mmCIF file of all heavy atoms in Angstrom:
data_model
loop_
_atom_site.group_PDB
_atom_site.id
_atom_site.type_symbol
_atom_site.label_atom_id
_atom_site.label_comp_id
_atom_site.label_asym_id
_atom_site.label_seq_id
_atom_site.Cartn_x
_atom_site.Cartn_y
_atom_site.Cartn_z
ATOM 1 N N ALA B 200 -27.350 -5.425 -59.648
ATOM 2 C CA ALA B 200 -26.481 -6.033 -58.635
ATOM 3 C C ALA B 200 -27.190 -6.106 -57.281
ATOM 4 O O ALA B 200 -27.148 -7.101 -56.598
ATOM 5 C CB ALA B 200 -25.191 -5.215 -58.504
ATOM 6 N N ALA B 201 -27.890 -4.960 -56.988
ATOM 7 C CA ALA B 201 -28.605 -4.925 -55.691
ATOM 8 C C ALA B 201 -29.714 -5.968 -55.646
ATOM 9 O O ALA B 201 -29.974 -6.626 -54.621
ATOM 10 C CB ALA B 201 -29.176 -3.518 -55.463
ATOM 11 N N ILE B 202 -30.384 -6.186 -56.793
ATOM 12 C CA ILE B 202 -31.455 -7.155 -56.865
ATOM 13 C C ILE B 202 -30.876 -8.572 -56.706
ATOM 14 O O ILE B 202 -31.432 -9.432 -56.025
ATOM 15 C CB ILE B 202 -32.200 -7.054 -58.226
ATOM 16 C CG1 ILE B 202 -33.003 -5.742 -58.250
ATOM 17 C CG2 ILE B 202 -33.113 -8.270 -58.470
ATOM 18 C CD1 ILE B 202 -33.582 -5.398 -59.627
ATOM 19 N N MET B 203 -29.686 -8.802 -57.299
ATOM 20 C CA MET B 203 -29.114 -10.147 -57.273
ATOM 21 C C MET B 203 -28.588 -10.564 -55.920
ATOM 22 O O MET B 203 -28.463 -11.750 -55.649
ATOM 23 C CB MET B 203 -28.008 -10.244 -58.347
ATOM 24 C CG MET B 203 -28.539 -10.388 -59.751
ATOM 25 S SD MET B 203 -27.296 -10.908 -60.900
ATOM 26 C CE MET B 203 -26.241 -9.502 -60.928
ATOM 27 N N VAL B 204 -28.195 -9.595 -55.073
ATOM 28 C CA VAL B 204 -27.588 -9.969 -53.779
ATOM 29 C C VAL B 204 -28.487 -10.931 -52.986
ATOM 30 O O VAL B 204 -28.057 -12.063 -52.678
ATOM 31 C CB VAL B 204 -27.226 -8.706 -52.962
ATOM 32 C CG1 VAL B 204 -26.888 -9.110 -51.553
ATOM 33 C CG2 VAL B 204 -26.069 -7.983 -53.626
ATOM 34 N N PRO B 205 -29.724 -10.574 -52.703
ATOM 35 C CA PRO B 205 -30.577 -11.538 -51.950
ATOM 36 C C PRO B 205 -30.906 -12.784 -52.772
ATOM 37 O O PRO B 205 -30.983 -13.892 -52.218
ATOM 38 C CB PRO B 205 -31.849 -10.745 -51.634
ATOM 39 C CG PRO B 205 -31.873 -9.619 -52.597
ATOM 40 C CD PRO B 205 -30.474 -9.317 -52.947
ATOM 41 N N LEU B 206 -31.057 -12.602 -54.085
ATOM 42 C CA LEU B 206 -31.415 -13.778 -54.926
ATOM 43 C C LEU B 206 -30.302 -14.798 -54.936
ATOM 44 O O LEU B 206 -30.554 -15.999 -54.846
ATOM 45 C CB LEU B 206 -31.692 -13.322 -56.371
ATOM 46 C CG LEU B 206 -32.869 -12.313 -56.543
ATOM 47 C CD1 LEU B 206 -33.126 -12.035 -58.024
ATOM 48 C CD2 LEU B 206 -34.136 -12.804 -55.885
ATOM 49 N N VAL B 207 -29.040 -14.340 -54.995
ATOM 50 C CA VAL B 207 -27.896 -15.249 -54.977
ATOM 51 C C VAL B 207 -27.841 -15.987 -53.642
ATOM 52 O O VAL B 207 -27.615 -17.208 -53.600
ATOM 53 C CB VAL B 207 -26.598 -14.483 -55.245
ATOM 54 C CG1 VAL B 207 -25.376 -15.373 -54.889
ATOM 55 C CG2 VAL B 207 -26.517 -14.017 -56.669
ATOM 56 N N LEU B 208 -28.058 -15.257 -52.556
ATOM 57 C CA LEU B 208 -28.009 -15.894 -51.220
ATOM 58 C C LEU B 208 -29.038 -16.969 -51.086
ATOM 59 O O LEU B 208 -28.749 -18.087 -50.611
ATOM 60 C CB LEU B 208 -28.187 -14.825 -50.118
ATOM 61 C CG LEU B 208 -27.026 -13.792 -49.988
ATOM 62 C CD1 LEU B 208 -27.376 -12.740 -48.973
ATOM 63 C CD2 LEU B 208 -25.734 -14.517 -49.576
ATOM 64 N N VAL B 209 -30.277 -16.647 -51.519
ATOM 65 C CA VAL B 209 -31.356 -17.664 -51.479
ATOM 66 C C VAL B 209 -31.034 -18.863 -52.379
ATOM 67 O O VAL B 209 -31.197 -20.028 -52.019
ATOM 68 C CB VAL B 209 -32.716 -17.024 -51.870
ATOM 69 C CG1 VAL B 209 -33.789 -18.099 -51.984
ATOM 70 C CG2 VAL B 209 -33.110 -15.982 -50.832
ATOM 71 N N HIS B 210 -30.498 -18.547 -53.581
ATOM 72 C CA HIS B 210 -30.153 -19.615 -54.534
ATOM 73 C C HIS B 210 -29.102 -20.541 -53.972
ATOM 74 O O HIS B 210 -29.215 -21.774 -54.060
ATOM 75 C CB HIS B 210 -29.670 -18.959 -55.838
ATOM 76 C CG HIS B 210 -29.258 -19.928 -56.878
ATOM 77 N ND1 HIS B 210 -30.115 -20.808 -57.469
ATOM 78 C CD2 HIS B 210 -28.043 -20.137 -57.463
ATOM 79 C CE1 HIS B 210 -29.467 -21.536 -58.375
ATOM 80 N NE2 HIS B 210 -28.193 -21.156 -58.368
ATOM 81 N N VAL B 211 -28.058 -19.965 -53.359
ATOM 82 C CA VAL B 211 -26.982 -20.793 -52.783
ATOM 83 C C VAL B 211 -27.539 -21.629 -51.612
ATOM 84 O O VAL B 211 -27.266 -22.839 -51.503
ATOM 85 C CB VAL B 211 -25.805 -19.887 -52.328
ATOM 86 C CG1 VAL B 211 -24.783 -20.706 -51.520
ATOM 87 C CG2 VAL B 211 -25.119 -19.267 -53.551
ATOM 88 N N ALA B 212 -28.327 -21.003 -50.779
ATOM 89 C CA ALA B 212 -28.947 -21.739 -49.658
ATOM 90 C C ALA B 212 -29.793 -22.887 -50.169
ATOM 91 O O ALA B 212 -29.784 -23.976 -49.594
ATOM 92 C CB ALA B 212 -29.760 -20.754 -48.799
ATOM 93 N N LEU B 213 -30.470 -22.603 -51.267
ATOM 94 C CA LEU B 213 -31.358 -23.636 -51.858
ATOM 95 C C LEU B 213 -30.554 -24.837 -52.365
ATOM 96 O O LEU B 213 -30.937 -26.006 -52.167
ATOM 97 C CB LEU B 213 -32.143 -22.990 -53.024
ATOM 98 C CG LEU B 213 -33.282 -23.769 -53.600
ATOM 99 C CD1 LEU B 213 -34.444 -23.776 -52.591
ATOM 100 C CD2 LEU B 213 -33.734 -23.128 -54.926
ATOM 101 N N ILE B 214 -29.421 -24.541 -52.985
ATOM 102 C CA ILE B 214 -28.556 -25.620 -53.505
ATOM 103 C C ILE B 214 -28.056 -26.480 -52.336
ATOM 104 O O ILE B 214 -28.071 -27.726 -52.411
ATOM 105 C CB ILE B 214 -27.374 -25.022 -54.298
ATOM 106 C CG1 ILE B 214 -27.901 -24.453 -55.615
ATOM 107 C CG2 ILE B 214 -26.317 -26.091 -54.575
ATOM 108 C CD1 ILE B 214 -26.884 -23.666 -56.391
ATOM 109 N N PHE B 215 -27.620 -25.811 -51.261
ATOM 110 C CA PHE B 215 -27.159 -26.566 -50.077
ATOM 111 C C PHE B 215 -28.284 -27.446 -49.535
ATOM 112 O O PHE B 215 -28.097 -28.609 -49.232
ATOM 113 C CB PHE B 215 -26.695 -25.560 -49.008
ATOM 114 C CG PHE B 215 -25.253 -25.228 -49.115
ATOM 115 C CD1 PHE B 215 -24.850 -23.997 -49.633
ATOM 116 C CD2 PHE B 215 -24.255 -26.128 -48.744
ATOM 117 C CE1 PHE B 215 -23.503 -23.685 -49.733
ATOM 118 C CE2 PHE B 215 -22.909 -25.814 -48.858
ATOM 119 C CZ PHE B 215 -22.536 -24.577 -49.345
ATOM 120 N N TYR B 216 -29.472 -26.840 -49.452
ATOM 121 C CA TYR B 216 -30.634 -27.593 -48.912
ATOM 122 C C TYR B 216 -30.930 -28.817 -49.790
ATOM 123 O O TYR B 216 -31.066 -29.948 -49.263
ATOM 124 C CB TYR B 216 -31.835 -26.661 -48.841
ATOM 125 C CG TYR B 216 -33.118 -27.364 -48.399
ATOM 126 C CD1 TYR B 216 -33.348 -27.617 -47.048
ATOM 127 C CD2 TYR B 216 -34.068 -27.766 -49.337
ATOM 128 C CE1 TYR B 216 -34.509 -28.258 -46.654
ATOM 129 C CE2 TYR B 216 -35.206 -28.432 -48.928
ATOM 130 C CZ TYR B 216 -35.414 -28.687 -47.599
ATOM 131 O OH TYR B 216 -36.586 -29.338 -47.208
ATOM 132 N N ALA B 217 -30.964 -28.579 -51.113
ATOM 133 C CA ALA B 217 -31.332 -29.666 -52.033
ATOM 134 C C ALA B 217 -30.297 -30.786 -51.988
ATOM 135 O O ALA B 217 -30.682 -31.984 -52.014
ATOM 136 C CB ALA B 217 -31.479 -29.109 -53.445
ATOM 137 N N THR B 218 -29.035 -30.453 -51.919
ATOM 138 C CA THR B 218 -28.001 -31.473 -51.957
ATOM 139 C C THR B 218 -27.891 -32.182 -50.589
ATOM 140 O O THR B 218 -27.730 -33.406 -50.497
ATOM 141 C CB THR B 218 -26.642 -30.900 -52.333
ATOM 142 O OG1 THR B 218 -26.376 -29.753 -51.506
ATOM 143 C CG2 THR B 218 -26.599 -30.496 -53.797
ATOM 144 N N ARG B 219 -27.980 -31.426 -49.477
ATOM 145 C CA ARG B 219 -27.895 -31.986 -48.151
ATOM 146 C C ARG B 219 -29.088 -32.925 -47.871
ATOM 147 O O ARG B 219 -28.934 -33.967 -47.204
ATOM 148 C CB ARG B 219 -27.825 -30.906 -47.071
ATOM 149 C CG ARG B 219 -26.547 -30.109 -47.075
ATOM 150 C CD ARG B 219 -25.403 -30.965 -46.516
ATOM 151 N NE ARG B 219 -24.131 -30.296 -46.648
ATOM 152 C CZ ARG B 219 -23.628 -29.469 -45.717
ATOM 153 N NH1 ARG B 219 -24.305 -29.243 -44.623
ATOM 154 N NH2 ARG B 219 -22.453 -28.901 -45.901
ATOM 155 N N LYS B 220 -30.243 -32.513 -48.346
ATOM 156 C CA LYS B 220 -31.443 -33.312 -48.077
ATOM 157 C C LYS B 220 -31.585 -34.453 -49.075
ATOM 158 O O LYS B 220 -32.514 -35.284 -48.980
ATOM 159 C CB LYS B 220 -32.699 -32.429 -48.141
ATOM 160 C CG LYS B 220 -32.776 -31.399 -47.052
ATOM 161 C CD LYS B 220 -33.178 -32.060 -45.716
ATOM 162 C CE LYS B 220 -33.279 -31.015 -44.617
ATOM 163 N NZ LYS B 220 -33.631 -31.602 -43.326
ATOM 164 N N GLY B 221 -30.704 -34.430 -50.088
ATOM 165 C CA GLY B 221 -30.751 -35.526 -51.083
ATOM 166 C C GLY B 221 -32.012 -35.527 -51.927
ATOM 167 O O GLY B 221 -32.536 -36.598 -52.267
ATOM 168 N N LEU B 222 -32.509 -34.355 -52.270
ATOM 169 C CA LEU B 222 -33.705 -34.242 -53.071
ATOM 170 C C LEU B 222 -33.436 -34.802 -54.490
ATOM 171 O O LEU B 222 -32.411 -34.482 -55.083
ATOM 172 C CB LEU B 222 -34.201 -32.805 -53.168
ATOM 173 C CG LEU B 222 -34.669 -32.135 -51.881
ATOM 174 C CD1 LEU B 222 -35.191 -30.733 -52.169
ATOM 175 C CD2 LEU B 222 -35.730 -32.974 -51.175
ATOM 176 N N THR B 223 -34.357 -35.541 -55.010
ATOM 177 C CA THR B 223 -34.243 -36.040 -56.392
ATOM 178 C C THR B 223 -34.820 -34.996 -57.331
ATOM 179 O O THR B 223 -35.467 -34.050 -56.913
ATOM 180 C CB THR B 223 -35.009 -37.362 -56.573
ATOM 181 O OG1 THR B 223 -36.432 -37.050 -56.370
ATOM 182 C CG2 THR B 223 -34.565 -38.409 -55.603
ATOM 183 N N ALA B 224 -34.548 -35.214 -58.627
ATOM 184 C CA ALA B 224 -35.097 -34.272 -59.646
ATOM 185 C C ALA B 224 -36.632 -34.254 -59.557
ATOM 186 O O ALA B 224 -37.252 -33.201 -59.696
ATOM 187 C CB ALA B 224 -34.641 -34.704 -61.043
ATOM 188 N N ALA B 225 -37.211 -35.420 -59.315
ATOM 189 C CA ALA B 225 -38.654 -35.498 -59.219
ATOM 190 C C ALA B 225 -39.161 -34.699 -57.985
ATOM 191 O O ALA B 225 -40.195 -33.996 -58.085
ATOM 192 C CB ALA B 225 -39.111 -36.964 -59.115
ATOM 193 N N ASP B 226 -38.431 -34.786 -56.875
ATOM 194 C CA ASP B 226 -38.809 -34.000 -55.698
ATOM 195 C C ASP B 226 -38.807 -32.506 -56.003
ATOM 196 O O ASP B 226 -39.720 -31.764 -55.615
ATOM 197 C CB ASP B 226 -37.827 -34.251 -54.538
ATOM 198 C CG ASP B 226 -37.896 -35.699 -54.043
ATOM 199 O OD1 ASP B 226 -38.968 -36.291 -54.167
ATOM 200 O OD2 ASP B 226 -36.860 -36.181 -53.491
ATOM 201 N N ILE B 227 -37.725 -32.103 -56.673
ATOM 202 C CA ILE B 227 -37.562 -30.652 -56.947
ATOM 203 C C ILE B 227 -38.673 -30.188 -57.919
ATOM 204 O O ILE B 227 -39.338 -29.182 -57.666
ATOM 205 C CB ILE B 227 -36.168 -30.365 -57.546
ATOM 206 C CG1 ILE B 227 -35.095 -30.632 -56.481
ATOM 207 C CG2 ILE B 227 -36.082 -28.930 -58.077
ATOM 208 C CD1 ILE B 227 -33.683 -30.651 -56.993
ATOM 209 N N LEU B 228 -38.880 -30.986 -59.006
ATOM 210 C CA LEU B 228 -39.887 -30.584 -59.989
ATOM 211 C C LEU B 228 -41.289 -30.586 -59.357
ATOM 212 O O LEU B 228 -42.126 -29.758 -59.679
ATOM 213 C CB LEU B 228 -39.848 -31.514 -61.195
ATOM 214 C CG LEU B 228 -38.612 -31.343 -62.100
ATOM 215 C CD1 LEU B 228 -38.562 -32.414 -63.193
ATOM 216 C CD2 LEU B 228 -38.598 -29.933 -62.731
ATOM 217 N N GLY B 229 -41.452 -31.459 -58.429
ATOM 218 C CA GLY B 229 -42.772 -31.518 -57.732
ATOM 219 C C GLY B 229 -43.058 -30.225 -56.976
ATOM 220 O O GLY B 229 -44.196 -29.841 -56.784
ATOM 221 N N ARG B 230 -41.992 -29.566 -56.513
ATOM 222 C CA ARG B 230 -42.163 -28.337 -55.748
ATOM 223 C C ARG B 230 -42.204 -27.105 -56.649
ATOM 224 O O ARG B 230 -42.767 -26.078 -56.272
ATOM 225 C CB ARG B 230 -41.038 -28.181 -54.740
ATOM 226 C CG ARG B 230 -41.055 -29.318 -53.720
ATOM 227 C CD ARG B 230 -39.856 -29.252 -52.811
ATOM 228 N NE ARG B 230 -39.746 -30.495 -52.027
ATOM 229 C CZ ARG B 230 -39.104 -30.625 -50.927
ATOM 230 N NH1 ARG B 230 -38.498 -29.581 -50.400
ATOM 231 N NH2 ARG B 230 -39.065 -31.780 -50.308
ATOM 232 N N THR B 231 -41.526 -27.191 -57.801
ATOM 233 C CA THR B 231 -41.408 -25.984 -58.621
ATOM 234 C C THR B 231 -42.507 -25.876 -59.684
ATOM 235 O O THR B 231 -42.917 -24.792 -60.049
ATOM 236 C CB THR B 231 -40.045 -25.920 -59.333
ATOM 237 O OG1 THR B 231 -39.891 -27.103 -60.115
ATOM 238 C CG2 THR B 231 -38.901 -25.795 -58.360
ATOM 239 N N ARG B 232 -42.970 -27.004 -60.185
ATOM 240 C CA ARG B 232 -43.943 -26.951 -61.273
ATOM 241 C C ARG B 232 -45.271 -26.330 -60.787
ATOM 242 O O ARG B 232 -45.826 -26.702 -59.796
ATOM 243 C CB ARG B 232 -44.205 -28.367 -61.841
ATOM 244 C CG ARG B 232 -43.069 -28.753 -62.724
ATOM 245 C CD ARG B 232 -43.408 -29.915 -63.664
ATOM 246 N NE ARG B 232 -42.391 -30.024 -64.666
ATOM 247 C CZ ARG B 232 -41.980 -31.152 -65.202
ATOM 248 N NH1 ARG B 232 -42.504 -32.298 -64.822
ATOM 249 N NH2 ARG B 232 -41.035 -31.140 -66.146
ATOM 250 N N GLY B 233 -45.670 -25.352 -61.605
ATOM 251 C CA GLY B 233 -46.916 -24.639 -61.273
ATOM 252 C C GLY B 233 -46.783 -23.632 -60.176
ATOM 253 O O GLY B 233 -47.723 -23.005 -59.739
ATOM 254 N N SER B 234 -45.520 -23.416 -59.682
ATOM 255 C CA SER B 234 -45.288 -22.471 -58.602
ATOM 256 C C SER B 234 -45.009 -21.052 -59.181
ATOM 257 O O SER B 234 -44.006 -20.836 -59.802
ATOM 258 C CB SER B 234 -44.134 -22.914 -57.724
ATOM 259 O OG SER B 234 -43.730 -21.870 -56.884
ATOM 260 N N LEU B 235 -45.916 -20.158 -58.859
ATOM 261 C CA LEU B 235 -45.743 -18.772 -59.319
ATOM 262 C C LEU B 235 -44.593 -18.115 -58.560
ATOM 263 O O LEU B 235 -43.835 -17.296 -59.123
ATOM 264 C CB LEU B 235 -47.062 -17.971 -59.045
ATOM 265 C CG LEU B 235 -47.095 -16.554 -59.584
ATOM 266 C CD1 LEU B 235 -46.945 -16.526 -61.111
ATOM 267 C CD2 LEU B 235 -48.365 -15.845 -59.154
ATOM 268 N N ALA B 236 -44.368 -18.531 -57.305
ATOM 269 C CA ALA B 236 -43.299 -17.955 -56.500
ATOM 270 C C ALA B 236 -41.942 -18.278 -57.065
ATOM 271 O O ALA B 236 -41.092 -17.399 -57.256
ATOM 272 C CB ALA B 236 -43.378 -18.488 -55.065
ATOM 273 N N TRP B 237 -41.706 -19.569 -57.406
ATOM 274 C CA TRP B 237 -40.404 -19.941 -57.988
ATOM 275 C C TRP B 237 -40.230 -19.349 -59.395
ATOM 276 O O TRP B 237 -39.137 -18.972 -59.792
ATOM 277 C CB TRP B 237 -40.213 -21.444 -58.033
ATOM 278 C CG TRP B 237 -39.935 -22.061 -56.673
ATOM 279 C CD1 TRP B 237 -40.678 -22.990 -56.031
ATOM 280 C CD2 TRP B 237 -38.871 -21.683 -55.771
ATOM 281 N NE1 TRP B 237 -40.143 -23.249 -54.789
ATOM 282 C CE2 TRP B 237 -39.025 -22.458 -54.630
ATOM 283 C CE3 TRP B 237 -37.824 -20.790 -55.854
ATOM 284 C CZ2 TRP B 237 -38.154 -22.361 -53.539
ATOM 285 C CZ3 TRP B 237 -36.956 -20.678 -54.804
ATOM 286 C CH2 TRP B 237 -37.129 -21.472 -53.651
ATOM 287 N N ALA B 238 -41.334 -19.270 -60.136
ATOM 288 C CA ALA B 238 -41.259 -18.660 -61.477
ATOM 289 C C ALA B 238 -40.867 -17.191 -61.355
ATOM 290 O O ALA B 238 -39.995 -16.699 -62.099
ATOM 291 C CB ALA B 238 -42.602 -18.776 -62.183
ATOM 292 N N SER B 239 -41.431 -16.491 -60.385
ATOM 293 C CA SER B 239 -41.072 -15.068 -60.171
ATOM 294 C C SER B 239 -39.659 -14.944 -59.691
ATOM 295 O O SER B 239 -38.914 -14.061 -60.179
ATOM 296 C CB SER B 239 -42.007 -14.450 -59.166
ATOM 297 O OG SER B 239 -43.335 -14.622 -59.510
ATOM 298 N N PHE B 240 -39.262 -15.811 -58.756
ATOM 299 C CA PHE B 240 -37.931 -15.711 -58.188
ATOM 300 C C PHE B 240 -36.867 -15.910 -59.268
ATOM 301 O O PHE B 240 -36.001 -15.027 -59.488
ATOM 302 C CB PHE B 240 -37.759 -16.805 -57.093
ATOM 303 C CG PHE B 240 -36.398 -16.823 -56.443
ATOM 304 C CD1 PHE B 240 -36.127 -16.012 -55.353
ATOM 305 C CD2 PHE B 240 -35.395 -17.633 -56.958
ATOM 306 C CE1 PHE B 240 -34.857 -16.023 -54.767
ATOM 307 C CE2 PHE B 240 -34.131 -17.652 -56.379
ATOM 308 C CZ PHE B 240 -33.870 -16.850 -55.255
ATOM 309 N N TYR B 241 -36.940 -17.035 -60.006
ATOM 310 C CA TYR B 241 -35.876 -17.307 -60.997
ATOM 311 C C TYR B 241 -36.075 -16.461 -62.253
ATOM 312 O O TYR B 241 -35.087 -16.170 -62.938
ATOM 313 C CB TYR B 241 -35.807 -18.791 -61.298
ATOM 314 C CG TYR B 241 -34.960 -19.509 -60.240
ATOM 315 C CD1 TYR B 241 -35.550 -20.350 -59.319
ATOM 316 C CD2 TYR B 241 -33.583 -19.278 -60.143
ATOM 317 C CE1 TYR B 241 -34.773 -20.963 -58.344
ATOM 318 C CE2 TYR B 241 -32.829 -19.881 -59.187
ATOM 319 C CZ TYR B 241 -33.425 -20.741 -58.264
ATOM 320 O OH TYR B 241 -32.666 -21.336 -57.310
ATOM 321 N N GLY B 242 -37.305 -16.038 -62.539
ATOM 322 C CA GLY B 242 -37.546 -15.129 -63.683
ATOM 323 C C GLY B 242 -36.826 -13.813 -63.443
ATOM 324 O O GLY B 242 -36.107 -13.294 -64.304
ATOM 325 N N ALA B 243 -36.991 -13.272 -62.230
ATOM 326 C CA ALA B 243 -36.322 -12.015 -61.888
ATOM 327 C C ALA B 243 -34.807 -12.192 -61.900
ATOM 328 O O ALA B 243 -34.072 -11.298 -62.350
ATOM 329 C CB ALA B 243 -36.790 -11.553 -60.502
#
Side-chain angles (χ1 to χ4, degrees):
Chain B
I202 292 170
M203 282 194 293
V204 169
L206 300 185
V207 167
L208 292 175
V209 172
H210 177 64
V211 170
L213 192 71
I214 289 171
F215 271 104
Y216 176 80
T218 51
R219 290 286 173 90
K220 292 286 180 181
L222 295 184
T223 64
D226 294 333
I227 294 169
L228 289 174
R230 297 173 192 202
T231 57
R232 282 198 167 146
S234 167
L235 187 61
W237 286 122
S239 306
F240 179 88
Y241 278 109

